[in-house]
Amino acid sequence: MLRETPARARVLQLEALVQPPVRFGRVLRFDGAIAGVSGCRAASVGAACRIDTADGVGCTGEVIGFRDEETVVALTGGSGRLVAGARVRVGASVDEVAVGDDLLGRVWDADGLPLDGLPPLVPAAAVPLHRQPTNPLLRAEIHTPLDVGVRAINALLSLGRGQRIGLIAGSGVGKSMLLGMLCAGTQADVVIVGLIGERAREVSAFVESVIPAAARPRTAVVAVSADRSPILRIRGANRVAAMAEYFRAQGRHVLLLLDSLTRVGHAQREIGLALGEQPTVKGYPPSVIALVPRIVERAGSDRDSGGSITAIYTLLADGDDIHDPVVDAARAIMDGHIVLSRALAEQGVYPAIDVSASISRVMQNVADKSHTQAAQLFRRRYALYHENKDLVMMGGYEAGRNPELDIALGTYPQLMDLVSQPVDEVCGWQDSIARLKQVVGHG
C-alpha cells in the first residue's frame, strides 16, 4: 500500500474536486511542465487530469489545448517524475467555485483548498469560474465616492464604487504597504485579495503583517506563489474575481485587490508559448493581451443587486518602465491609474504616489466642484515646482518674477505633507478634502 505522503494527499484532495475520470490516454512527451498526451481527443480545454508517475504519487494537470494528434496538458501539482507511456485519466472541467461567507477570514489556494490549516470550506453556493461577458447596460454608473482612508487618493485621485484602477509600481517602492493601507481604510463590506505569482515568503508576510488585524474578518485571500503552475496562477485570478462576483450579487460592496495582473499575464505567456503562439512585443503572445480585459471587465457595479466590485490591479513596471505591454493594455481599459514613484520613495515619501503621472477618470463624477477645483490647483502648483526646481536650485530664478511659482515654492512642503501619510493612519474622506482645501487656500 502506498504511504500517504503530503504530496500524495494533496493530489487526492485535488481529485476530489472533479468528477470521476471517464477518458484515458498515454504520455508521449514531456518537457518539464507540459505533456503531450495521445488518446484523449474527446477531452475539452480546461478538463482536469490525473497522470500516473514512477514514484506512485501521481500528479495533476489540466488540458490547455491541442497540437496535431496530441492533447496538451499542463501540470498543476504533484510529482513530476513522468515516464513515457504513463497513463493519463481525464475528468471533467473545473468550471465552478464554491463560495460562502465562510471564505472570509481565511487563506485559500487556486483550487479552493485551505492554506491556513483550518477545515475546508462548507459551500453555501457555487458560481462560475469563468463568467460570460456582461451586458454593458446592466452596469450601473459610478456616482458614489469611495473612502479608501488614504489622503492622497481621497483628495487628489478620488475613487468611486465600482471603479477599476491600476496601481503601477516598480519593485521596492511601497506597493505592498499601500495595499495594506487600502485594506485597513477602505469603506467596503468585503475585501478579496489575490496574491498571484508572489514569492512564498512575501505571501506569508502579507497575510500576517500587511493586512491589519481589524480587517481580517472581512478579508478573504487567495494565494498562488511563483513556483506554482501557470495554470494555477490564472485560475487563482479567476477565482478571486468569481468570489467577488458572488458577494456583489448579494448587494455588498467589495474591494478587490489583485497583486499582480502582470504576473497573471506572465503565466498566460508561458501557456501561449507552449502552445506555439508567436511572440510579439517583449515576447508576449496575443493571448496575453486578450486575457487582460477578460479579467478587468469582471469588476464594476451591478444595477440589479446594487452591489459593486471596486478593483485595484497592481501592474509591475520592470525597470520602472510604465509602457510594458501588459501595463499599456490594462491602462487603456481601466478607469484610471496610480503610479508609485521611485524618486519619492528614495526621499522617504510614503505612499510614494506620483500625483502628476496618476489620474482617476471618474473623479469628476464623485467629487463636487470645489473639491475638483482644489485638486486642480494642487496639481498646478505641484507641477510648477517640479518644472522649475532645477532652475531655482541653480539660482537662475529671482523671486517675484512669477507670483504663481512663488506660491508653489513657498507651499511645497505643505503639498508633500498632504501626499505623505503614516502606514498606520487612516484619513477619512471629509478630513482629506478639508486638508486639501486648507493647503491650497481654496474654499
Side-chain angles (χ1 to χ4, degrees):
M1 177 178 288
L2 291 173
R3 185 169 58 90
E4 288 296 323
T5 63
R8 178 169 174 76
R10 185 73 172 169
V11 170
L12 293 175
Q13 279 183 307
L14 294 174
E15 283 186 336
L17 297 176
V18 300
Q19 297 177 10
V22 295
R23 291 177 292 274
F24 297 88
R26 297 286 177 179
V27 173
L28 295 179
R29 60 181 181 82
F30 178 61
D31 62 6
I34 305 294
V37 178
S38 65
C40 294
R41 295 183 182 180
S44 62
V45 172
C49 303
R50 164 69 193 272
I51 307 175
D52 295 338
T53 55
D55 55 10
V57 174
C59 61
T60 56
E62 182 175 309
V63 176
I64 62 172
F66 309 94
R67 180 183 296 164
D68 299 328
E69 299 298 317
E70 295 179 1
T71 300
V72 183
V73 176
L75 265 60
T76 58
S79 168
R81 296 177 60 184
L82 299 187
V83 296
R87 188 172 68 165
V88 180
R89 289 174 284 176
V90 182
S93 299
V94 181
D95 293 327
E96 291 187 335
V97 174
V99 290
D101 281 359
D102 289 344
L103 287 170
L104 303 179
R106 302 285 305 277
V107 183
W108 309 92
D109 71 0
D111 295 304
L113 302 175
L115 292 174
D116 50 15
L118 297 176
L121 173 72
V122 178
V127 296
L129 179 65
H130 304 280
R131 184 173 291 276
Q132 294 298 318
T134 304
N135 183 341
L137 296 182
L138 297 179
R139 289 288 171 84
E141 295 184 21
I142 301 174
H143 290 299
T144 305
L146 177 66
D147 183 0
V148 298
V150 179
R151 186 165 48 243
I153 297 177
N154 281 344
L156 305 170
L157 303 164
S158 304
L159 305 185
R161 292 195 185 278
Q163 184 171 356
R164 294 84 49 84
I165 195 161
L167 178 59
I168 304 173
S171 57
V173 295
K175 168 175 57 68
S176 296
M177 182 189 71
L178 179 55
L179 292 179
M181 295 174 71
L182 293 170
C183 284
T186 301
Q187 298 298 306
D189 301 320
V190 174
V191 179
I192 306 293
V193 180
L195 302 175
I196 310 299
E198 295 285 349
R199 294 185 290 272
R201 178 189 61 80
E202 290 187 347
V203 170
S204 177
F206 191 96
V207 172
E208 296 176 4
S209 304
V210 176
I211 300 177
R216 290 175 191 170
R218 63 186 177 115
T219 302
V221 179
V222 174
V224 188
S225 56
D227 60 343
R228 303 304 302 273
S229 162
I231 286 290
L232 294 181
R233 281 176 261 158
I234 297 174
R235 188 184 300 168
N238 284 309
R239 178 170 290 275
V240 296
M243 290 162 58
E245 288 169 340
Y246 165 73
F247 289 109
R248 177 180 63 185
Q250 295 182 327
R252 302 199 216 183
H253 299 296
V254 182
L255 173 66
L256 171 61
L257 304 175
L258 182 61
D259 183 22
S260 72
L261 187 59
T262 300
R263 291 197 172 106
V264 177
H266 290 173
Q268 181 61 45
R269 177 170 62 184
E270 293 180 44
I271 295 171
L273 294 178
L275 289 173
E277 284 190 71
Q278 293 300 312
T280 54
V281 181
K282 291 193 174 181
Y284 287 105
S287 61
V288 175
I289 308 304
L291 175 67
V292 171
R294 288 204 303 270
I295 293 177
V296 172
E297 285 295 332
R298 297 181 71 167
S301 298
D302 183 60
R303 190 182 298 274
D304 291 337
S305 69
S308 66
I309 301 174
T310 305
I312 299 179
Y313 304 95
T314 66
L315 298 159
L316 303 180
D318 294 331
D320 295 332
D321 177 16
I322 64 173
H323 299 294
D324 178 87
V326 174
V327 176
D328 278 342
R331 186 166 47 186
I333 63 170
M334 289 181 182
D335 307 313
H337 55 271
I338 299 172
V339 178
L340 298 187
S341 165
R342 186 172 302 279
L344 289 176
E346 291 171 348
Q347 295 170 21
V349 177
Y350 289 99
I353 297 174
D354 186 343
V355 176
S356 298
S358 306
I359 189 172
S360 170
R361 295 177 182 169
V362 304
M363 183 171 179
Q364 298 288 340
N365 298 338
V366 300
D368 59 36
K369 185 176 181 180
S370 64
H371 179 184
T372 55
Q373 288 176 343
Q376 289 169 356
L377 188 55
F378 181 102
R379 286 176 172 272
R380 174 61 179 164
R381 291 178 183 173
Y382 186 88
L384 266 177
Y385 175 87
H386 285 281
E387 288 170 2
N388 295 276
K389 179 176 65 174
D390 293 339
L391 179 64
V392 173
M393 294 295 182
M394 292 187 297
Y397 174 75
E398 182 180 347
R401 296 176 63 181
N402 186 334
E404 194 174 5
L405 177 56
D406 291 339
I407 296 174
L409 295 173
T411 60
Y412 185 72
Q414 289 75 34
L415 301 183
M416 296 311 298
D417 284 343
L418 176 73
V419 173
S420 60
Q421 181 177 332
V423 66
D424 57 351
E425 177 185 332
V426 175
C427 188
W429 177 265
Q430 295 299 335
D431 291 342
S432 300
I433 298 172
R435 180 75 176 275
L436 169 64
K437 293 180 178 179
Q438 179 186 10
V439 167
V440 299
H442 182 83

